[in-house]
Amino acid sequence: MAEDGRDELLGTDGDSEPLVAGRSLRHKGVEQGCSLLRRMEICVAEAEKRSGRNTVNMQEIFTVYLIETRSMEAVSEGHNSAPDSLWRRYSEFELLRSYLIVTYPHVVVAPLPEKRAEFVWHKLSADNMDPDFVERRRVGLENFLVRVASHSVLSNDKILYHFLTEEHGWREVVYETGFQAKAESRLRALSATFRVRNTDKRFMDMKHYSDELQSHTSQLLRARARVADRLYGVFKVHGNYGRVFSEWSAIEKEMGDGLQSAGHHMDAYAASIDDILEEEEHYADQLKEYLSYAEALRAVCRKHELTQFELEMASQDLISKKQQREELATGIVRTFSFKGMTNKLFGQEAPEQREARLKLLEELIAEGEDTVKEKTVECQEHVERAWVDMQRFEEQKDKDLREALINYAVMQISMCKKGIQVWSNAKECFIKM
Amino acid sequence: MSGQTVPVDYSGHMLDLDEDEDLEVFSKKAPVADGNPMPNSPSSMVNQFRLEEDEPQDVNAKDLFITVDNPESHITAIETFIMYRVLTKTTRSEFDSSEYEVHRRYQDFLWLRSRLEETHPTLIVHPLPEKFVMKGMVERFNDDFIHTRRKALHRFLNKISEHPILSYNQHFKVFLTAEELTSHRKQGPGFLSRMGETVRAVANTVRGLKSRPEEFAAMQEYVDDFSNKICTVDKVTQRIIKEEREYLDELKQYGPMYGQWAESEGNLAEPLKAVASCVERCGKETEEHAHHLSEVLVPTLHEYILCAETLKAVMRRRDHIQAEFEAKNEALASRKSEQEALQEEVDGLSDRMEGSNEALKGDWFRWKAGMRTDLKSAFVSSAEKNVDYYEKCLAVWESFLLSQRAESSDQQDGEDVS
């Protein structure tokens, strides 16, 4: 299912090579409207190693990724012009994502590919410099950009546009937005989770679902890695057949040729598992994406708890201030207050003081009412917008994961076909023994 | 297939073979059921039967059919042992009847084999399954052990029955026909004790073998190499089975996770459950595959490991016969008295040596041809099973794809599924 942007991309002009590399061409659910992706083509074309000094002035080697962009007009007009490009490193992607999460707390923001290789089956390198890992990360980064740029809300963000188009000074611009101040402390978020009273049931259900999604995908990834490990062992042992058949064929007359060629097929069989499992890593990556998405989903739910909690706090505060005013006005003390106690001990305060305090309270109450109005709107807006985005996410997730399962089946089929071929060949050799 | 004709210069072992072409062809006995629920063993048995039948036996149209089945536990005050039923059907005139049913225990097979070796020291007598299983704590009467042993005993008797010389051996006939074997077993000293004497005698006179004739030297070298190779192939096969079983264990954990995940999903539940089912079915195929290897390839390899040991023993015996002759021959040369008597002994030993060498040479070709057939068949069968395994798994995943394509109302572009 191709969204329109992609159709233009693919349908036009055979000359212009799609910049999107190979199999990363995935069809993301693109929102109607002016998403960035409809206006420009984005891809992460390459990765390179650089060295430089880090924040503590130590020499380090890191990888940078080449982001290429081309406006859709250039593509559709058949200009074979070189795309604009710039280099970014992983930490800059991380910064971009942090910014987006804070600035659009109602959006389930696409995750980045994993920072370190996890759920590794033993043969696969857990080394960040490993070329296969770098390649898969390149694909993941491109996927991230495509998802973000095709989101109806995120795609309009200036910082995102800047990230894609201006190499230098981007970090400063991001920091200037002051987004970091808006980021919630974990403590506040946690506190809200425990103390909030009236949350929207749909959000709580969604939060519970995000836990389930996380738990299931991580279990599955772990089990898959173990299965891969074992399968590797089975295939590789057949290499020993190759060797012994070859040695054995040397002492046989009639049987020699058959044994020798069968041995070659055994070697081929043993070697084939490397590609098969490397291919399967792409499936694992698709699962990992949704493992990370679970976290993003949970973050949106937590934001709801937070806004709701702040609203409740503000309302509570307003009520208590109103009560204080009432007490001051009527002189009847309902609540304990320090002032009340000192009044009892040292006698009532003077009327002027009371007046001043009343006046202050009135101001605070007026402020408090504004705050409650604000918080109500904030909470309400968040609920509305987040609910829409969570629906979008759910649809996207169903589609993507179903596609991933289909890809998995395709891989299994390919592996079976290879197996049939190798063993049919081996059988022919044995028959000639 | 040059190995199949009976070598004509088996001096002293010459036999008139039944050249009757109108032999009634017995229908093959149905694959023996031995109570094992596994579906594969009967078919593998049938394969073995079929191949033996297809082998052009030249003048030996198969006229002796033997099965070993029905293992039964016998408990006495002194011991517990297993009795096997041995059924024979034959048209041979040497047999009084055309059908026999007797019961034999492992010891009886041992007796038979030692008698055969003693009578024909340089013929290649098929090995018996081992007395004990070395590895692990396998009980003697564990079902798998009995199943494996019974199959091997069956193979043993059939191999003997196919042998142009051994199948006419008197002891063999007694084994197949006598109700009670114990009285026959008491006759004559065991070959093994005689063997011990010979070894000592040779050791006493030893200068080592003067020289082994070239063909036997080549044979020895081959036997040593073959023994190594076949042991390695066996080890590799066992390792594959082990790895497959461990793979299967992981699959059994992995598959259900898709099902568990499905419980918290809506639209995704159906494909997830379908994948869980696919993984489960592939797991079953893996299990069957590992089982097939154990039933077909492993026993055959194991048999030929034992054959290699038998060959080594045969070569040793041949060497001893030559050594005995050479020793006596030298004595003849150095002694002045008793020349006539010694000469007679030397002539006798010389004849024996030549006879033994010829017997071995003939049987060697026969054995090699049989080895080739047996191993080829086992490897072909294993390769076939592998193809079958992958074909079945392929079908499983293809049906999943079909179900998903039917499900999707949105049209998937052809390109997102290779």
Side-chain angles (χ1 to χ4, degrees):
Chain A
M1 189 213 83
E3 74 278 343
D4 297 343
R6 277 282 184 246
D7 266 336
E8 282 169 47
L9 178 66
L10 298 166
T12 47
D13 196 30
D15 285 348
S16 69
E17 274 177 37
L19 294 183
V20 184
R23 63 162 19 94
S24 71
L25 185 70
R26 272 182 271 180
H27 306 295
K28 306 293 172 285
V30 171
E31 299 296 311
Q32 297 310 312
C34 247
S35 80
L36 189 58
L37 199 62
R38 301 183 105 248
R39 291 183 280 120
M40 71 181 353
E41 196 182 274
I42 303 169
C43 83
V44 176
E46 284 165 38
E48 249 182 42
K49 295 229 196 324
R50 294 278 167 81
S51 68
R53 293 200 174 274
N54 64 11
T55 46
V56 289
N57 210 31
M58 295 195 43
Q59 196 73 5
E60 62 168 2
I61 298 181
F62 52 89
T63 312
V64 288
Y65 301 87
L66 184 68
I67 302 178
E68 287 181 344
T69 52
R70 264 204 317 212
S71 81
M72 291 308 269
E73 293 132 18
V75 173
S76 59
E77 280 163 27
H79 291 183
N80 222 350
S81 54
D84 298 319
S85 66
L86 46 78
W87 295 93
R88 293 270 182 233
R89 52 187 295 193
Y90 187 82
S91 56
E92 292 174 281
F93 281 86
E94 282 183 307
L95 183 56
L96 173 65
R97 186 164 189 271
S98 301
Y99 163 79
L100 290 173
I101 287 177
V102 169
T103 315
Y104 304 95
H106 66 278
V107 172
V108 182
V109 178
L112 289 170
E114 55 188 359
K115 197 166 178 128
R116 261 161 273 287
E118 286 182 38
F119 303 107
V120 173
W121 59 278
H122 95 280
K123 219 29 190 125
L124 204 60
S125 175
D127 169 27
N128 281 5
M129 289 295 159
D130 178 75
D132 286 330
F133 178 76
V134 169
E135 170 57 20
R136 292 208 320 274
R137 189 190 255 193
R138 183 196 65 74
V139 170
L141 290 174
E142 182 176 293
N143 185 45
F144 165 75
L145 287 180
V146 165
R147 285 206 191 274
V148 156
S150 58
H151 190 278
S152 56
V153 171
L154 299 178
S155 60
N156 295 317
D157 188 273
K158 297 283 178 293
I159 298 288
L160 170 64
Y161 186 77
H162 200 146
F163 178 89
L164 294 169
T165 51
E166 293 280 339
E167 182 153 352
H168 304 289
W170 176 78
R171 274 187 194 266
E172 288 72 24
V173 176
V174 183
Y175 289 134
E176 265 166 38
T177 62
F179 81 93
Q180 285 164 318
K182 286 194 263 165
E184 283 121 30
S185 73
R186 282 200 75 77
L187 201 59
R188 216 157 66 114
L190 211 58
S191 162
T193 304
F194 287 131
R195 294 161 61 190
V196 70
R197 294 204 205 133
N198 300 313
T199 48
D200 186 314
K201 182 171 189 305
R202 299 171 301 174
F203 281 72
M204 290 309 96
D205 287 344
M206 199 54 97
K207 187 168 167 207
H208 178 69
Y209 171 76
S210 75
D211 289 335
E212 295 278 313
L213 183 63
Q214 176 167 28
S215 139
H216 288 125
T217 46
S218 63
Q219 272 181 15
L220 198 58
L221 281 163
R222 224 171 288 129
R224 190 212 69 91
R226 286 199 299 266
V227 167
D229 223 2
R230 289 290 165 214
L231 191 61
Y232 184 82
V234 173
F235 272 72
K236 285 302 178 190
V237 178
H238 283 81
N240 290 315
Y241 269 155
R243 187 161 45 153
V244 70
F245 283 170
S246 170
E247 290 168 6
W248 183 5
S249 70
I251 64 170
E252 297 289 345
K253 290 205 200 72
E254 303 99 355
M255 285 167 60
D257 286 338
L259 271 177
Q260 175 97 352
S261 34
H264 290 150
H265 291 299
M266 291 299 98
D267 285 331
Y269 184 66
S272 68
I273 191 67
D274 294 307
D275 282 346
I276 288 170
L277 288 178
E278 178 55 41
E279 180 100 0
E280 232 185 68
E281 282 305 310
H282 293 286
Y283 171 67
D285 283 343
Q286 287 175 292
L287 292 179
K288 282 177 197 171
E289 192 191 9
Y290 277 90
L291 172 61
S292 304
Y293 254 129
E295 179 62 49
L297 182 61
R298 190 178 313 125
V300 172
C301 296
R302 272 207 306 262
K303 180 67 178 180
H304 166 70
E305 287 173 341
L306 193 66
T307 53
Q308 176 67 17
F309 178 65
E310 286 176 356
L311 174 59
E312 288 171 7
M313 293 284 283
S315 307
Q316 194 58 39
D317 189 62
L318 184 62
I319 288 171
S320 108
K321 292 225 167 12
K322 284 186 176 167
Q323 249 174 355
Q324 282 184 328
R325 179 181 57 183
E326 200 195 310
E327 284 164 17
L328 259 187
T330 61
I332 300 168
V333 180
R334 258 182 260 276
T335 58
F336 175 81
S337 75
F338 190 61
K339 199 66 187 160
M341 208 179 75
T342 53
N343 280 348
K344 283 230 153 77
L345 291 173
F346 302 113
Q348 286 267 9
E349 55 187 348
E352 303 86 38
Q353 284 179 314
R354 246 186 74 208
E355 279 307 315
R357 275 184 53 218
L358 255 175
K359 191 150 174 272
L360 183 59
L361 258 180
E362 290 293 347
E363 277 172 30
L364 287 176
I365 286 171
E367 266 177 43
E369 277 174 341
D370 283 339
T371 307
V372 167
K373 276 203 194 86
E374 260 176 55
K375 292 292 175 193
T376 307
V377 166
E378 197 186 322
C379 191
Q380 190 59 33
E381 270 183 10
H382 183 265
V383 164
E384 277 168 16
R385 291 193 206 154
W387 184 244
V388 166
D389 203 59
M390 292 198 299
Q391 299 296 93
R392 171 204 65 81
F393 167 74
E394 188 156 356
E395 241 180 78
Q396 175 198 298
K397 171 218 20 132
D398 285 344
K399 182 170 167 292
D400 286 349
L401 286 177
R402 187 158 159 274
E403 199 182 292
L405 293 175
I406 288 173
N407 282 344
Y408 183 68
V410 169
M411 284 178 214
Q412 299 305 306
I413 286 172
S414 158
M415 178 171 87
C416 288
K417 285 187 175 158
K418 282 191 197 141
I420 289 171
Q421 173 134 70
V422 166
W423 285 103
S424 299
N425 290 339
K427 177 182 160 187
E428 291 308 307
C429 296
F430 287 134
I431 287 176
K432 293 205 191 91
M433 251 168 76
Chain B
M1 295 265 270
S2 63
Q4 291 313 306
T5 53
V6 180
V8 286
D9 53 349
Y10 272 10
S11 47
H13 302 290
M14 189 67 166
L15 294 158
D16 290 321
L17 295 163
D18 211 339
E19 297 209 13
D20 194 32
E21 304 283 21
D22 313 339
L23 281 179
E24 187 185 334
V25 177
F26 284 90
S27 61
K28 290 288 164 291
K29 191 149 170 55
V32 270
D34 55 357
N36 192 316
M38 290 301 178
N40 277 315
S41 48
S43 66
S44 71
M45 297 268 298
V46 170
N47 273 341
Q48 287 178 11
F49 257 110
R50 224 181 279 134
L51 277 155
E52 281 153 19
E53 175 190 323
D54 289 343
E55 234 177 33
Q57 298 250 333
D58 295 340
V59 289
N60 297 357
K62 200 165 162 84
D63 57 1
L64 188 60
F65 300 94
I66 307 173
T67 55
V68 177
D69 63 4
N70 226 24
E72 270 174 4
S73 220
H74 279 240
I75 305 171
T76 70
I78 313 165
E79 54 176 346
T80 312
F81 56 90
I82 304 279
M83 275 299 227
Y84 301 89
R85 183 173 69 160
V86 179
L87 286 173
T88 308
K89 287 200 176 121
T90 181
T91 53
R92 289 191 186 173
S93 49
E94 310 87 70
F95 289 82
D96 295 329
S97 166
S98 60
E99 284 192 33
Y100 291 91
E101 176 177 329
V102 297
H103 292 86
R104 300 287 178 249
R105 55 186 291 189
Y106 180 75
Q107 271 184 24
D108 299 330
F109 287 81
L110 281 177
W111 168 84
L112 170 63
R113 188 167 187 275
S114 71
R115 277 277 170 276
L116 291 173
E117 280 195 314
E118 171 194 320
T119 321
H120 309 284
T122 57
L123 287 187
I124 303 165
V125 180
H126 202 71
L128 279 171
E130 284 140 323
K131 256 187 151 149
F132 307 112
V133 178
M134 288 308 179
K135 51 186 172 187
M137 297 156 296
V138 179
E139 276 178 46
R140 258 200 320 147
F141 302 118
N142 142 330
D143 281 346
D144 277 341
F145 178 75
I146 293 171
H147 167 78
T148 310
R149 179 177 267 196
R150 187 202 55 74
K151 271 172 59 178
L153 294 176
H154 175 96
R155 280 280 286 172
F156 168 76
L157 289 181
N158 276 282
K159 280 287 190 183
I160 304 297
S161 79
E162 286 158 23
H163 196 289
I165 293 164
L166 295 175
S167 72
Y168 292 90
N169 181 284
Q170 219 11 60
H171 302 296
F172 186 50
K173 176 157 172 256
V174 163
F175 179 91
L176 293 176
T177 58
E179 270 297 315
E180 206 40 63
L181 203 55
T182 32
S183 49
H184 299 270
R185 282 172 57 172
K186 294 201 165 65
Q187 296 164 7
F191 174 73
L192 295 175
S193 56
R194 287 232 308 264
M195 177 66 160
E197 283 175 42
T198 314
V199 170
R200 276 191 290 276
V202 171
N204 288 340
T205 61
V206 88
R207 288 162 206 80
L209 215 49
K210 283 245 171 67
S211 66
R212 213 181 264 136
E214 208 183 289
E215 57 213 317
F216 296 115
M219 222 183 262
Q220 181 70 57
E221 213 182 297
Y222 174 85
V223 167
D224 288 335
D225 285 338
F226 176 80
S227 175
N228 278 336
K229 298 312 160 209
I230 203 75
C231 282
T232 306
V233 175
D234 176 69
K235 265 197 220 110
V236 172
T237 309
Q238 307 266 23
R239 182 65 191 276
I240 289 175
I241 295 174
K242 173 171 174 284
E243 295 285 337
E244 255 188 59
R245 295 223 161 104
E246 287 176 355
Y247 168 65
L248 181 61
D249 285 340
E250 294 297 344
L251 274 187
K252 284 187 173 156
Q253 310 232 349
Y254 172 63
M257 283 184 189
Y258 284 98
Q260 284 159 24
W261 182 2
E263 284 167 22
S264 59
E265 291 289 342
N267 287 335
L268 211 47
E270 180 269 323
L272 282 172
K273 277 192 256 192
V275 170
S277 150
C278 287
V279 173
E280 190 189 330
R281 279 143 74 197
C282 287
K284 286 213 170 66
E285 296 302 331
T286 305
E287 193 156 25
E288 244 193 65
H289 178 262
H291 179 76
H292 182 270
L293 275 182
S294 299
E295 286 291 303
V296 174
L297 189 53
V298 168
T300 309
L301 292 173
H302 198 65
E303 221 174 277
Y304 277 91
I305 292 177
L306 295 177
C307 274
E309 293 308 303
T310 301
L311 287 170
K312 288 180 187 166
V314 166
M315 304 231 60
R316 277 197 297 272
R317 290 201 284 268
R318 193 220 66 87
D319 284 349
H320 289 142
I321 290 172
Q322 179 175 331
E324 273 196 345
F325 161 74
E326 284 173 356
K328 259 309 186 296
N329 208 19
E330 292 203 12
L332 179 65
S334 57
R335 295 264 196 91
K336 301 301 173 190
S337 61
E338 300 170 22
Q339 286 275 327
E340 252 188 61
L342 266 181
Q343 184 66 56
E344 225 184 286
E345 265 189 79
V346 166
D347 287 343
L349 285 176
S350 169
D351 284 345
R352 182 171 77 136
M353 179 180 77
E354 290 207 18
S356 302
N357 287 351
E358 289 308 308
L360 176 54
K361 266 195 277 186
D363 219 24
W364 173 252
F365 287 113
R366 192 181 173 279
W367 179 85
K368 279 214 81 181
M371 178 272 284
R372 184 178 172 198
T373 307
D374 290 343
L375 288 177
K376 171 166 141 176
S377 136
F379 284 130
V380 167
S381 170
S382 300
E384 265 173 5
K385 185 62 186 170
N386 269 294
V387 172
D388 180 61
Y389 164 77
Y390 278 115
E391 281 177 345
K392 293 215 176 90
C393 289
L394 178 70
V396 164
W397 289 106
E398 278 187 337
S399 78
F400 168 77
L401 272 192
L402 265 158
S403 75
Q404 293 310 301
R405 279 180 210 186
E407 286 272 330
S408 72
S409 42
D410 305 319
Q411 294 321 303
Q412 306 254 354
D413 284 354
E415 65 201 1
D416 63 357
V417 176
S418 74

